[in-house]
Amino acid sequence: MDGSREIPPTPTRRAFLQSSAAGFAGLVLGFTWTGKGRLGVNAAQAAADGRFAPNAFVRIAGDNTVTVVIKHLEMGQGIDTGLATILAEELDADWAQIRSETAPADAAVYNNLNWGPVQGTGGSSSIANSYPQLRQAGAAARALLVSAAAETWGVEPATITVKQGVIAHAASGRSARFGELAAKAATLPIPAELPLKEPRSFTLIGTRLPRLDSAAKTDGTARFALDIMPPGTLVALIRRPDRFHATLKSVEAGAARAIAGVVDVVTVPAGVAVLAKGFWAAKQGRDALAVEWDEAAAEKRGSAELLTAYQALAATPGLPARREGDVAAALAGAAKRITASYQFPYLAHAPMEPLNCVVVLTPDGCDIWAGDQFQTMDQANAAATAGLKPEQVRIHTVYAGGSFGRRANAASDYIVEAVSIAKAVGANGTPIKLIWTREDDIKGGRYRPMYYHTLEGGLDGDGNPVAWRHRIIGQSIIAGTPFAKGFIKEGIDHTSVEGAANLPYAIPNLAVELHTTEVGVPVLWWRSVGGTHNAYATEAFLDELGEAGGQDPLALRRRLLAGHSRHQGVLDLAAAKSDWGSALSAGRGRGIAVHEDFHTFVAQVAEVTVAPSGKVRVDRIVCAVDCGRAINPDVIKAQIEGGIGYGLAALLYGRVTLAEGRVEQSNFHDYQVLRIDEMPKIEVHIVPSDAAPTGVGELGVPALGPAVANAVYAASGKRIRVLPFEETGNA
Amino acid sequence: MPVSFTLNGKPTSLDVDPEMPLLWALRENTGLTGTKFGCGAGLCGACTVHVDGEPTRACITPVGTIDGQQVTTIEGVDGPAAAAVRTAWRQLDVVQCGYCQSGQIMAATALLRQVPRPDDAGIDAAMSGNICRCATYVRIRAAIHRAARILEG
Ligand code: FES
Ligand code: FES
């Protein structure tokens, strides 16, 4: 049973407290957290609030189990394990007694401290924002247990030790396990001072601990939203238009209704929903619909037309995202100039579990089961759709079968669809299970935007880069969402230019410009967001510039990164571990790239073989990571391995294209992803660090592409500037 | 006419459309949800079960075609190879989101029953029908090697 994960059946905050009190006669820990030591972009604003509402992150039961309440979505990144590790460390718990439980949707208690009053998971922020919070939570629980032991035994708290789940008083030889003291501890006041451990005495953080979710995910018992099927559930599939922003003109549903098992056909804003007693009937019913669309407002352009428009824009100045020195003059005066353009297609996230959720809607409440990544937004959007208040929407977060950003979107698309269906059938309490098929997923939009980049660089007579102009053309992920105010400054969507506008290299004349385009294709953040394209364009172009100046890629980076010790640290580690500079046989090559995002630093060295046909095989990736203090080194390695595989899939094959506005791909045969036979050998090395821990969930992706591209050049003399590699016959 | 087959060792009879894919019959009519839906087109392996011991894509197998056969799912797979695979998977913490892993484990178990000591190429060949979007492939390979060693004793 170790590592079992309980899903609270009635996950309201109140019910949570009640059930823990009634069911466990244990200790529910609530405390006020001052925000001291908090990390993250919003630290200053949030600290100004001065106070956080009491939190409940840990429960200790009479049976000696410690349940850590996890406020972030477990979507594969190992966050159950990571957050539990932090709390267990300060509690001095034994890892075997640790359980995890998903938190209810309650932004007042379980908000992402980097995001303000919003509960959600993303931006590789889960460990970073939770680290101080859960240390405090663990320390508070420990202090109460120590107080309880001191009172029970009549000894001074200072003479009590806690180690691996055992509370002991050496002088009297007494000891107790947590469970024995939980009831008493629950009656005591929390000490005002909660000293935290010195990191050097950590016994769990920084060690390899078994993942909490391995058992359930290897015997079929792990529950995903797709597995939630209350009695009487109707499965719903939606027929959506095949051009974005088309609307329903007419539907002929007679044939659909005639299919055995089909119960209802309703129209909703997203399209036409077929409800049936199971997936198969719903699918047949949907196939039988005859639908006409009004395409007056539909996007009808194809990828080729978009590319032509983007290329034209690239010839004109964009809005400045960064401007240093005088780039025009420096380019004009350069001893040597080079220019290059890079193309990036739309990308679907294609998480393994297609979008789905279960909704039970009544006139006065809504229950939603989902692998929910953005609880506060989803609560608000579901409430608005249903005509309820957000607090009447209860979200039951379950494991997500991957997300990579897809499940967190400002429109809460799949949640809103399901709620709108439940409303259309009368808000009668029938469980509605909306399932997207893989075709729906690939064709359904919210892609990583298509981008076009043009870079121009100038070198002085000694081959040193003196000018850098970078133009980025593409849609804004943030425009039109509630985040626009925070993320778009003077016309610049931060997510469009991250990784480019903050180029760390010391180049005296530097301009980064942005053209934000408007296209009727819904777009979204995709694992590592701006890093998915900006890292490629900047790190591949730097190699081109270096080559024009006769410079070694590693030496050039080291020199231009003087003073950036963490960048240099990962570069040096990756170079050393990969034997950078040693000879490779003909047809093989090595490339390097470095990237910082979310305060984590990653360098990768790729080794590739390029066949005479041009086909690229990635043989080996050596990756160095500096993410501050490593909470779970093995989980970090797993995330980097996975990020590399995910990035490589996009690099080689990832491509959503449009023909007259219609998506041309539909499933894994034409939206190809990485399979095991193309997975390279991967070595991950973590830089030892005492810095505050930062995230790694997205960090395997950005440096992978340019490291491989630079390696391909070293192996074959070919620069690949159009993604995916398949586009040019290199995959 | 109901379809009758043996499911995880137990006689089972389902009165469903014989064209219905075995995947949905398992998930919705027997309540065994460990077998997953990933593509519905035989492309990803998330729905892999064993039919008479052979790894089979349940999403493209009409339930009517398995009449009289033995179906084993992640919930029922056992024996030395399955136990070794599970142990190795847990020792190496292969899983990430876990959604593909039922299918991976069913495929790996079938492989080890046929080839007790596969090499990397053999693993790649047998497992390349099973997509993992979390790209746990490095550990899948390592875990299959480890499971093979466990089986050797
Ligand atoms: S769901 Fe059956 S192969 Fe993908
Ligand atoms: S573990 Fe997530 S798809 Fe394989």
Side-chain angles (χ1 to χ4, degrees):
Chain A
M1 278 303 286
D2 283 1
S4 72
R5 177 185 170 110
E6 302 150 40
I7 295 159
T10 51
T12 63
R13 162 94 173 119
R14 202 155 59 91
F16 162 63
L17 293 170
Q18 284 166 347
S19 72
S20 33
F24 297 93
L27 159 65
V28 175
L29 177 65
F31 64 96
T32 302
W33 186 62
T34 63
K36 207 171 100 208
R38 184 154 27 80
L39 309 170
V41 291
N42 288 335
Q45 296 124 269
D49 299 345
R51 236 180 76 94
F52 280 79
N55 283 332
F57 290 98
V58 59
R59 191 170 72 226
I60 297 170
D63 69 0
N64 207 38
T65 54
V66 173
T67 301
V68 181
V69 180
I70 305 295
K71 69 178 184 178
H72 289 292
L73 170 67
E74 177 59 83
M75 49 187 149
Q77 80 280 41
I79 203 62
D80 279 10
T81 304
L83 298 185
T85 301
I86 297 167
L87 192 138
E89 178 68 67
E90 290 291 344
L91 182 57
D92 281 316
D94 182 23
W95 187 244
Q97 73 189 130
I98 297 292
R99 308 287 180 271
S100 64
E101 178 177 287
T102 120
D106 185 348
V109 181
Y110 296 113
N111 59 319
N112 184 327
L113 298 171
N114 281 8
W115 295 359
V118 174
Q119 185 177 355
T121 304
S124 295
S125 64
S126 301
I127 288 283
N129 94 91
S130 300
Y131 181 65
Q133 184 177 43
L134 293 180
R135 288 185 74 192
Q136 291 266 9
R142 183 188 189 279
L144 286 169
L145 292 167
V146 168
S147 300
E151 281 198 18
T152 307
W153 299 336
V155 301
E156 277 301 306
T159 61
I160 288 173
T161 58
V162 187
K163 204 178 155 194
Q164 280 187 308
V166 176
I167 304 166
H169 183 248
S172 64
R174 272 186 280 219
S175 71
R177 301 198 307 157
F178 294 172
E180 300 164 45
L181 293 164
K184 170 113 184 141
T187 66
L188 300 175
I190 298 169
E193 283 297 309
L194 292 173
L196 299 178
K197 278 182 163 179
E198 284 299 324
R200 69 183 133 72
S201 58
F202 284 165
T203 58
L204 297 175
I205 288 175
T207 69
R208 188 189 184 289
L209 300 170
R211 279 181 73 120
L212 292 175
D213 53 354
S214 264
K217 289 178 176 177
T218 48
D219 65 11
T221 60
R223 282 212 301 174
F224 299 84
L226 199 78
D227 306 330
I228 307 289
M229 276 180 265
T233 294
L234 293 181
V235 171
L237 267 64
I238 296 180
R239 169 76 78 83
R240 301 174 188 80
D242 58 6
R243 281 175 161 149
F244 296 109
H245 301 293
T247 53
L248 184 66
K249 191 194 263 173
S250 69
V251 55
E252 170 43 55
R257 288 182 186 277
I259 305 268
V262 170
V263 172
D264 207 350
V265 177
V266 295
T267 62
V268 290
V272 182
V274 176
L275 293 96
K277 289 186 176 146
F279 176 90
W280 182 238
K283 169 81 165 50
Q284 287 176 296
R286 183 172 78 167
D287 291 346
L289 291 173
V291 182
E292 276 194 84
W293 304 101
D294 178 345
E295 298 191 322
E299 177 58 71
K300 298 188 193 71
R301 284 174 291 178
S303 296
E305 288 157 277
L306 293 176
L307 180 63
T308 305
Y310 286 17
Q311 285 170 330
L313 282 171
T316 67
L319 283 178
R322 178 165 168 196
R323 188 175 277 163
E324 273 160 31
D326 185 340
V327 170
L331 283 171
K336 206 170 189 182
R337 287 167 71 157
I338 65 161
T339 180
S341 295
Y342 301 86
Q343 291 177 34
F344 304 91
Y346 289 110
L347 292 175
H349 305 71
M352 205 70 227
E353 179 191 19
L355 296 177
N356 72 93
C357 63
V358 175
V359 165
V360 176
L361 178 68
T362 63
D364 47 27
C366 183
D367 284 274
I368 298 171
W369 286 262
D372 200 295
Q373 194 176 348
F374 213 167
Q375 287 87 353
T376 306
M377 186 61 69
D378 293 343
Q379 256 179 325
N381 285 325
T385 305
L388 296 168
K389 298 197 198 78
E391 56 271 26
Q392 291 174 295
V393 176
R394 294 168 294 269
I395 295 180
H396 311 249
T397 301
V398 295
Y399 288 136
S403 175
F404 316 114
R406 182 61 183 85
R407 294 177 208 275
N409 66 83
S412 308
D413 57 353
Y414 71 108
I415 302 273
V416 163
E417 286 179 353
V419 174
S420 66
I421 294 168
K423 193 175 169 189
V425 298
N428 57 9
T430 303
I432 303 295
K433 176 172 192 155
L434 171 72
I435 300 177
W436 284 45
T437 62
R438 180 59 60 195
E439 288 79 7
D440 297 339
D441 173 58
I442 300 296
K443 290 187 177 294
R446 304 197 191 280
Y447 305 126
R448 194 288 303 274
M450 173 180 165
Y451 287 102
Y452 188 77
H453 292 236
T454 294
L455 290 102
E456 196 166 6
L459 298 158
D460 68 14
D462 298 324
N464 297 311
V466 291
W468 175 280
R469 186 168 68 204
H470 185 176
R471 286 189 184 139
I472 302 166
I473 296 92
Q475 285 168 264
S476 165
I477 292 166
I478 301 293
T481 74
F483 316 113
K485 238 177 95 192
F487 280 91
I488 302 181
K489 296 275 189 295
E490 290 170 30
I492 303 290
D493 176 344
H494 169 75
T495 69
S496 300
V497 299
E498 63 178 354
N502 55 335
L503 192 80
Y505 300 115
I507 300 173
N509 304 284
L510 197 150
V512 180
E513 302 170 6
L514 175 68
H515 286 284
T516 298
T517 60
E518 295 208 0
V519 183
V521 177
V523 293
L524 187 61
W525 34 60
W526 188 103
R527 196 175 192 175
S528 84
V529 199
T532 62
H533 53 106
N534 287 323
Y536 191 99
T538 58
E539 286 290 283
F541 188 69
L542 188 78
D543 262 40
E544 299 202 31
L545 203 52
E547 198 220 0
Q551 314 236 7
D552 171 74
L554 173 63
L556 175 65
R557 283 177 175 78
R558 291 201 89 264
R559 199 155 47 72
L560 295 179
L561 288 168
H564 292 266
S565 61
R566 295 180 79 179
H567 284 91
Q568 290 189 332
V570 290
L571 278 171
D572 289 348
L573 184 57
K577 297 290 185 184
S578 65
D579 219 355
W580 180 263
S582 67
L584 290 171
S585 54
R588 303 194 64 224
R590 209 180 264 123
I592 193 164
V594 64
H595 187 77
E596 179 209 348
D597 207 352
F598 311 115
H599 310 294
T600 294
F601 301 76
V602 170
Q604 294 188 25
V605 173
E607 278 178 28
V608 307
T609 303
V610 182
S613 66
K615 182 176 167 53
V616 173
R617 174 164 184 101
V618 180
D619 302 312
R620 178 184 180 218
I621 300 289
V622 177
C623 181
V625 187
D626 177 354
C627 55
R629 182 175 304 286
I631 305 295
N632 305 102
D634 191 58
V635 175
I636 291 167
K637 287 181 181 174
Q639 277 308 287
I640 296 294
E641 291 163 6
I644 287 169
Y646 194 79
L648 187 54
L651 187 76
L652 296 176
Y653 303 113
R655 168 178 55 181
V656 168
T657 54
L658 304 167
E660 296 180 353
R662 295 187 183 89
V663 174
E664 296 183 291
Q665 292 74 23
S666 63
N667 205 320
F668 290 127
H669 63 292
D670 51 12
Y671 190 80
Q672 284 195 64
V673 297
L674 201 75
R675 294 173 183 271
I676 194 169
D677 56 333
E678 291 191 289
M679 188 71 174
K681 292 202 167 25
I682 298 176
E683 295 156 40
V684 182
H685 302 278
I686 300 173
V687 177
S689 171
D690 292 330
T694 50
V696 296
E698 303 176 72
L699 267 295
V701 175
L704 182 273
V708 170
N710 293 338
V712 168
Y713 180 75
S716 69
K718 176 167 176 166
R719 297 281 184 199
I720 301 182
R721 303 190 186 98
V722 178
L723 263 52
F725 284 11
E726 195 175 37
E727 201 72 50
T728 48
N730 296 102
Chain B
M1 259 254 309
V3 185
S4 299
F5 55 102
T6 306
L7 176 58
N8 295 333
K10 290 193 203 89
T12 301
S13 181
L14 294 178
D15 193 4
V16 295
D17 175 1
E19 290 299 312
M20 178 191 284
L22 173 61
L23 170 66
W24 298 105
L26 289 171
R27 292 183 52 83
E28 297 180 342
N29 297 83
T30 76
L32 295 181
T33 56
T35 307
K36 302 304 188 201
F37 165 64
C39 69
L43 299 165
C44 78
C47 64
T48 306
V49 297
H50 296 168
V51 175
D52 285 350
E54 284 296 315
T56 301
R57 303 292 185 243
C59 70
I60 50 169
T61 303
V63 66
T65 66
I66 54 123
D67 199 79
Q69 295 186 288
Q70 307 267 346
V71 177
T72 307
T73 69
I74 185 72
E75 290 91 346
V77 69
D78 60 8
V85 165
R86 275 207 180 93
T87 300
W89 245 247
R90 291 174 189 177
Q91 285 178 352
L92 296 180
D93 273 342
V94 171
V95 306
Q96 290 189 27
C97 83
Y99 193 81
C100 74
Q101 298 293 348
S102 296
Q104 305 283 3
I105 286 169
M106 296 306 283
T109 300
L111 167 64
L112 287 172
R113 282 177 184 166
Q114 275 159 18
V115 186
R117 195 79 209 247
D119 58 11
D120 275 352
I123 291 172
D124 285 1
M127 300 298 292
S128 63
N130 287 76
I131 291 171
C132 175
R133 283 296 279 155
C134 300
T136 60
Y137 300 126
V138 169
R139 291 178 190 225
I140 288 174
R141 259 189 222 137
I144 292 175
H145 286 306
R146 178 169 298 201
R149 282 199 303 277
I150 293 171
L151 279 172
E152 278 176 357

